Amino acid sequence: MATLPLEVKITLSKSTDVFEPGKYEVKPCTVRTSHATKPPVDLFIVTPIAKGTYPVLLFCHGFLLPNNGYSNLLKHIASHGYIVVAPQVTPPSTSQGSRESISKVTQWLSQGLPLVLPEKVNPDISNLALSGHSRGGKTAFALALGRLDKRCHKKKKSPIRDNPNLPKFKALIGIDPVAGRAISNRGPPRILEYIPRCFNMSVPVAVIGTGYGNQSAAPLIGIPPCAPDGVNHSEFFNESKPPACYFLAREYGHCDMLDDWIADLLIFSKSGKGRDHMRKCVGGIVVAFLKTYLEGDEKDLDVIVSDPGVAPTTLDPVIYVKSEKC
């Protein structure tokens, strides 16, 4: 990966509480397609229950993983004052179907989401962020880029943010995103072009990678790594325009931000020690990034960038490129 120049803002404060649960009590619920609001797919929603209006995070799960398999991570994020909506799009949806389903969910949010939330809890759809893990991370990038088609990457449609029927994403967070099995084996759309800062979008980007994601849990029996080099987190960051952040959780694996009950089943994924630390780390980074670009509060993100040691896991490297260089 071509390393982008580091540009950070140093603050005097060296403390942050984003890695600990927030002040809001939260409630998880599942909304089925049979619900009166007619969501296009089943949804796992985690929301604060206190009266108020909250920003919304749309979360795309990994390939063949359950949306509620991230409940501890999503509860952590929601406890800091966010409504998290996680569509269930696989199985049996194809990659194309995943993008189309989540696109339909974004259209459902404004009318349907207020009707399934606790009383006096309101979503601020104008303050909408997008995130995803693994292949769901690629789906999130494809949505932000407006790439819903199966066609060659040289035949791009207009960006989704220019569609007046869809809300605008104000932040994009890829959690160990993966574009395919290898550079030569990437499903459509092939959003990676291997050109620095080539992604045609203005949304701020954070990429969280894992140090073990490119390692196989059982190389002797031919099990490939979950996040191979060339199609993983480093290339997604390399192609993102500023403002863009990069965090590498060096001692953890591709599925360590999942709940234990599902992560324990994924024996093909090399794991680190103490997944709770990884969930807190990922959740804290997500919260800090959302606070910066949805609420205009940069303090926590600046603290993490200037002193990565405040995180509950080892983050190395940490890169924050705030603007294009002349």
Side-chain angles (χ1 to χ4, degrees), residues 174-186:
I175 301 173
D176 221 19
V178 180
R181 296 180 181 178
I183 294 176
S184 60
N185 188 0
R186 293 173 287 141

Side-chain angles (χ1 to χ4, degrees), residues 194-216:
Y194 302 94
I195 302 171
R197 300 186 182 183
C198 67
F199 283 154
N200 184 26
M201 59 184 181
S202 58
V203 59
V205 174
V207 176
I208 304 169
T210 61
Y212 295 164
N214 63 351
Q215 302 178 34
S216 172

